[in-house]
Structures are given as structure tokens and as C-alpha cells.
Amino acid sequence: MDYDKLAELLFPEIDKTPADYEAIYPPRHGASDGAIITRLGPSPTGFIHLGNLYGAFVDERLAHQSKASDGTPGTFYLRIEDTDDKRYVEGAVETVIRSLGFFDIKFDEGADCEGKGTGDYGPYFQSDRGPIYQAFVKDMIKKGQAYPCFLTEDELSAIRQEQEANKETTGIYGKYAEKSRSLTYEEIQSNIESGLSYVIRLKSSSTKEASTSDKIAYEDHDGVTYIVIQDGIRGRVAMPANDQDIVILKANGIPTYHFAHVIDDHLMRTTHVVRGEEWLMSLPIHVELFEKLGFDIPIYCHTAVLMKIDEETGNKRKLSKRKDPELSLDFYRKEGYHPQAVKEYLLTILNSNYEEWRAANPEADIDAFAFTTEKMSSAGALFDLNKLQDISKDVLLGIPAEELADFMYQWAAEFKPQAAPLLEDKDYLSKILDLGRHDNKPRKDLIYARQIFDFISYFYDDYFTIEERIPEQVSDEDAKEILKRYLDTYDHSDDQSQWFEKIRTITADLGYAVKPKDYKKHPEEYKGSVAHVSTVIRIAVMGRSQSPDVWSIQQILGEDRVRDRISQLI
Ligand code: GLU
């Protein structure tokens, strides 16, 4: 077969060669000397999930922690993997950038919302890279490393059935590839002239003898050749070498993931490929492609799948888009989790030594932690919303009330617009949020914006409702009397002990025990205790029986509101 002639037949319009592209995209300065180049390659489905954030976090840290000996920093770029156009959703790129930006993850280069992207290694949308892929495929055809395959859907499914019946591996390899591999130039030409559709397949063969890479080793076990590489997270990974003639270019001229990955990560000069564990299985294919194309292979970092404990079965399982709203990154924005809390939590599941570091450096900036892929778990990472909430309580304590007030307002502006105007009074809101945070044992009941808003909503008349009933120890008559006396003696300028003294007086006068333990000992002698009397007041002022310190709350609410609410309940 004259492969040059075949290449011209298949790609007459492609005139650039791999060498041209090597010149257009030269090696990046510093990349062979310590600067780490990473990328995120989401498909534009409009759904961005915790796994993406998890991976992006690794990418971002690796790139931004690194620099070359001359100080050149690493680069983290965004590439949109939109070769599967069925999955394209309008505005998806913006969603990726915005969702990750919320967690302070920023790209240095690549696809952006305005147009085709910024940087010297574009285009950053795979759909714009057609001619590049085709130039490399054309070259592989010339070298006899790839071939056109005209097998129809029916033929493919007949092969599959035969393989399944024989309990063989499915796919096109060995004798199943013979028919297409042995087509003559004339047959191919006549197929094309009759308009038959075809794909381009890799002509798989052992790369062991021709290997030029010091990052790939080959081992033979029981007559099977294994490829061995060092994964950044998993360490040594050994897998049987590929023997499948996988599709590299689909019938519509668009590459498969395998081919696009290898071409793009080579030409964009990625040094570390961080991707989900689900791609580990195809690693032998990628190794063969890197070897055949003569490209230096990047360091792979296959991250563990995010798991959770299923509430019903108690078993570990993968997070699911259908069952687990917390898989979507939008969930955290909508609920109003503070990005710092989510980041802090992610680091605890990402690096096994993070919690220890945090305990030793409670005040340190999160970016000061030296993140390493070696400390990442390769077994499923366990995601636990309760743990995130616990961490969030601590993280929020470290954020000044004014900042938290801004955060609450921004959240409300987007996700609770009817409440946003109320939160515009930042002074009022800051005081509310600061309640009890400077005590010896600070309060830890602020977790995420939606929960915080519910928690503090009684400070706002529009949201104030009486949510609980007065305690059964207090009759309706007594309740009225308690509130009347409270209102009569109320002086907004009382300090906390003056204020409490008045409550004790009311308590004793109406036949309740001033000390709760007296009531416990002799319940027959009292109607109830000071706790019940205070609860009546709490319910009048806050609408609920549980709340931070009443005196402090009243100081924030202001005299008019307090008097209003008490009168209302009377
Ligand atoms: N487009 C692929 C995905 O969304 C990217 C995998 C990779 O990072 O190589 O899973």
C-alpha cells in the first residue's frame, strides 16, 4: 500500500504537518524546569460538579505552587472538550468559570466567556481544532499507523455478538481488525466514491521495541506485555498494553476523547494530567498513542472517585447526579456555603496530612499548605456533608462579621431577592452575626447562608413569626401577666444584671422558682421556674424558645421593636 497516496486520498485539504504545529506551539518556558502546566477539560454540559472542583483544586494547587528555577510560574488553563456536540449547553463555559471562580479557582489561560480564549496555545475549544487533529491523523496514515474502517453498525454488532458468545474481549483487534486493515487502496477509493461512511482507527501494535520514553516501562508476565508508569497519585500502575484498534477520528471528522487528549495535552504542553479515575482504564490506549506519535508523556494523576455513605443502606457508594444534590456545585452557591469552608473541607479529603497541618497552623492562609499528590488517597474519597458543615462552623467563626454580612447580602441578592433589601443594613446585620462569637466558648450555629438567614430571621419584622407555644407550666393568664409586668418595668438602658433582676422579681411575685433547681426539688411548691418565665419572654421577642442571650438580642433589636413585640403578644 502506498500510504502517502492513501493519506492524500483521505485528507486532500490538510496541508500542515505535525512539524508545523510543533513550531507554532513550542515547549513552554520553564516547563522542563519545575513549572507545572495543568488544565481542566470539562465538556460543556452546563453541569459542573464536586468532582470537577476536586480535580480543579488539584490542578490549581499544582500549577500555582510551582515555579521554574528562574521564577517562571506554572500555568493552569481551561480547555473546553466539546467534541460531542450533542452535549453542548448554551452558557456552559460561563458556568464553569463562574462556578470555579466562586471557589477562588482562576485560570491563567484558555477558554473564556468573551470568545475563543486567551493564550498562545489555543484554540481552547476542541471543536475549533479539527484541522490540527486531522494533520496528525494524516501523518499517522502516512506512517501506516492508522487506517480507514468502513464497518457498518450491523457488522460491528455482529462482531460484538460473536465475541460475547465466545466470551472474548469485545472491540476491534486481532482477527476482527483484519478485514479493515487489509483493504486495498482501490477498495478504499471505491468505498469513498460510493459515499460509504468510515472512521479512522489506530493500527495497534506493540510499542515496546520502539519506545523512546523513560517514563514508560514494559514488563512481560505470562506472555502478556504490561505497560508500567508512575502515577502522581497512585504510584506504580501496571496494565496490559493496548491491542485495540480504537477509533481516533469519528465519521464526522471529529476526534475521540483518546486522540484529542493526546494531541491537545502534547501541543498545549501539559506536564500533569489530573483526571478522574474513570479514565485509568484507557491509559494503555493513551500510552500507545503517545509512543506512536513520539510525544513525551505527561505525568498522570488519576484522582479517586468521590463516594458517600448511602443514608438508606449505610454502604459506601459513588455520588450520584440523580440522588445527591450536593454533587452539583450550584448546590453550594444556592445554599450559601462560604467558599472558604468548601475549600477547607475539600483539602481535608484531598490530603491526608491537611487536618494535622491546620491544627498546627490555625490562622494560616489555606494557600500556605504544601499540597502534594502523594498524600492523596487513591481509594474512593469519602464526602460527608455533615463534616463540611462542622468545618463551616469553624471557618465562619474566623471571618469578621462585616465580611460575613457582605457575603450574606450577596447571597440573598441572588438567591433570596425578597429578603435582600432587609440585609442592606450592614450595621444591623453585622451586629446580629457577631452575637456570641467573642465569648470564651464562641457560638457555632452559623453554617451556611440559607440556614443563617432562617436562624436570624426574627430580627426582621417581615419574617418574624411566633413559631412556638408557651411552656405548659405557664397558664395563658400568667403569660399575659408576665409580659405586662415585663413591659411595665422595661428599661432599654438597663444593663444585663439589672435586666435579669427584674425578671427574677416577676418570677418570684407570680409564684415561680427563681432557681430552677428549687423547682426541680420541690415541684409542688412552684408553678414553674425562671426558665419558663424567660421562655415566655423569648417567645414574645424572638418567636422561639431557643436563641442567643435575650438581653443582647434586645439591644440589637432596639427599644421600639421590643416593646412592639411584647405588646403584640399581650
Ligand atoms: N472531558 C473529559 C471529562 O469531562 C476530561 C477528562 C480529562 O481531564 O482528561 O471527563
Side-chain angles (χ1 to χ4, degrees), residues 39 41-43 81 257 274-275 279:
R39 86 306 194 263
S43 23
E81 309 213 326
Y257 166 79
V274 179
R275 63 182 183 186
W279 296 110

Side-chain angles (χ1 to χ4, degrees), residues 39-44 49 52 59 79-82 87 126 257 261 265 273-276 278-279 286 300:
R39 86 306 194 263
L40 192 71
S43 23
H49 56 79
N52 297 128
D59 281 317
R79 176 172 74 225
I80 300 299
E81 309 213 326
D82 55 352
R87 292 166 69 196
Q126 288 184 331
Y257 166 79
H261 149 54
D265 282 318
V273 170
V274 179
R275 63 182 183 186
E278 66 275 19
W279 296 110
H286 305 150
Y300 283 98

Side-chain angles (χ1 to χ4, degrees), residues 123-193:
Y124 295 97
F125 287 73
Q126 288 184 331
S127 55
D128 293 330
R129 299 174 64 80
I132 303 178
Y133 303 122
Q134 293 179 16
F136 282 87
V137 175
K138 182 172 184 176
D139 193 59
M140 289 182 83
I141 300 266
K142 280 189 183 172
K143 293 181 173 145
Q145 296 172 325
Y147 63 91
C149 167
F150 295 85
L151 290 175
T152 62
E153 285 302 325
D154 287 347
E155 286 171 305
L156 288 169
S157 89
I159 291 175
R160 170 181 290 271
Q161 276 166 21
E162 182 186 334
Q163 290 168 333
E164 280 168 359
N166 296 343
K167 299 205 171 8
E168 292 170 337
T169 310
T170 56
I172 301 303
Y173 60 94
K175 67 175 185 193
Y176 300 104
E178 263 164 32
K179 180 177 168 199
S180 302
R181 279 189 182 207
S182 59
L183 289 176
T184 62
Y185 180 88
E186 288 69 30
E187 285 168 325
I188 293 171
Q189 189 178 36
S190 112
N191 281 349
I192 291 176
E193 275 165 12

Side-chain angles (χ1 to χ4, degrees), residues 275-316:
R275 63 182 183 186
E277 181 175 11
E278 66 275 19
W279 296 110
L280 188 57
M281 232 173 51
S282 1
L283 186 62
I285 296 173
H286 305 150
V287 166
E288 182 171 350
L289 286 169
F290 273 103
E291 293 273 45
K292 288 254 157 77
L293 289 156
F295 299 161
D296 192 22
I297 194 163
I299 295 175
Y300 283 98
C301 303
H302 287 98
T303 60
V305 171
L306 286 178
M307 315 277 277
K308 73 179 273 184
I309 302 287
D310 187 279
E311 282 122 31
E312 278 164 29
T313 64
N315 293 335
K316 250 191 187 187

Side-chain angles (χ1 to χ4, degrees), residues 2 6 24 92 122 129 213 218 264 269 338 382 397 403 437 444 482 491 541 555:
D2 181 342
L6 177 62
I24 297 173
R129 299 174 64 80
S213 176
Y218 292 82
D264 291 348
R269 310 290 172 180
H338 198 284
L382 201 58
L397 264 186
E403 241 178 73
R437 299 204 326 150
K444 289 192 183 178
I482 291 168
D491 181 344
V541 179
Q555 292 303 307

Side-chain angles (χ1 to χ4, degrees), residues 3 46 126-127 153 211 255 288 333 383 395 401 416 446 483 562:
Y3 291 128
Q126 288 184 331
S127 55
E153 285 302 325
S211 178
E288 182 171 350
R333 281 195 332 118
F383 182 81
V395 168
K416 208 173 175 66
L446 307 185
L483 293 176
V562 175

